[in-house]
Amino acid sequence: MKSRVVCLPFAGGSADAYRSWSAVFPQSTELIAPELPGHGRRLAELPEENVADVVKGLLPHLGDPAAPLILFGHSMGGLLAYGVCQALCALGAPPRGLVISAMAPPELIDVRANHSLADDPDALLEHVARLGATPAEVLSSPQMRALLLRPLQADYRLLGMARTSPAQPVTVPLYALAGDEDVVHPPDQVAEWQRHARQWKGLRVLPGGHFFPWQSDTVPRFLAARAQAAAAGLPVRETSGR
């Protein structure tokens, strides 16, 4: 049976961010990267205004429900993956694993700062430029900046509402990944997900800043290994982690 890895996007990101990862995955594993309303190929649509609606909209786009599933989310996508995991568990269809990357749990998110960034386009673009993942040619073009701002502002408003519902522990294996030079959500913050996990599988600290998963193929290979083990019904041989 094929397995699925569903990858959810960071703030302002699109499904295209994960396209290159498919080359790392074996044929037995399907990479699914849903596009959020108001992002990427769905840019003409209105973005969702709260996390619950985003999660509800994602549920029909997770692929074959009979296939084993690993959920992955980077940065804001980590919060979305956590929400999708909770929804799937409530439906009696839990994923085989949840992997949260470069994201703190809701209680540690600076919601005021995210609201402020959403309301100040210049400050938001400066913040994104410092993170280093957006090409300079995009930030230097008024037309491209305008296209980038709409989904970015919508996503930072979502992050500004991260504490509106209490965080509940997940019952599936939860893995956390962090960049050793990430100043947005450093490793000690990401490690706090263990308080929301009944099957905590540890924190893995990898080289790089906030966008460390795109600096090597370590993260997609990590996901592929877990998906293959889930498809075979085998326990995953763990690598070292905190």
Side-chain angles (χ1 to χ4, degrees), residues 72-75 78 99-103 175-178 190 210 212-213 219:
F72 172 81
H74 180 75
S75 196
V99 183
I100 295 178
S101 169
M103 189 71 230
Y175 306 82
L177 310 177
V190 181
H210 190 62
F212 67 89
V219 173

Side-chain angles (χ1 to χ4, degrees), residues 20-214:
S20 64
W21 290 15
S22 61
V24 175
F25 284 32
Q27 291 185 349
S28 60
T29 300
E30 181 183 11
L31 171 62
I32 300 171
E35 196 79 270
L36 301 183
H39 297 66
R41 292 183 295 277
R42 301 178 66 183
L43 191 62
E45 301 178 35
L46 290 175
E48 299 288 3
E49 296 184 352
N50 60 73
V51 173
D53 286 340
V54 176
V55 169
K56 183 178 178 181
L58 285 168
L59 293 178
H61 301 285
L62 306 181
D64 180 2
L69 168 63
I70 301 294
L71 279 172
F72 172 81
H74 180 75
S75 196
M76 181 192 76
L79 285 182
L80 299 181
Y82 172 73
V84 170
C85 181
Q86 294 282 28
L88 290 174
C89 289
L91 291 170
R96 299 294 181 86
L98 170 62
V99 183
I100 295 178
S101 169
M103 189 71 230
E107 70 274 9
L108 295 183
I109 295 173
D110 190 337
V111 294
R112 181 176 297 179
N114 286 312
H115 272 304
S116 295
L117 285 171
D119 293 337
D120 188 338
D122 291 335
L124 180 54
L125 288 173
E126 288 176 11
H127 173 71
V128 169
R130 286 194 297 271
L131 295 181
T134 306
E137 57 268 25
V138 171
L139 293 172
S140 64
S141 164
Q143 294 82 7
M144 295 299 291
R145 286 202 307 270
L147 289 174
L148 179 64
L149 265 174
R150 186 187 180 207
L152 267 176
Q153 288 179 293
D155 290 346
Y156 274 81
R157 289 190 181 103
L158 287 179
L159 290 169
M161 296 188 295
R163 297 184 189 173
T164 56
S165 58
Q168 301 294 327
V170 294
T171 58
V172 306
L174 194 159
Y175 306 82
L177 310 177
D180 62 357
E181 297 179 1
D182 188 351
V183 297
V184 181
H185 293 295
D188 62 327
Q189 287 190 5
V190 181
E192 289 302 305
W193 280 105
Q194 64 187 299
R195 296 195 291 175
H196 305 292
R198 292 182 180 165
Q199 295 188 62
W200 174 242
K201 295 299 182 180
L203 171 72
R204 287 147 182 84
V205 180
L206 301 174
H210 190 62
F211 286 95
F212 67 89
W214 287 270

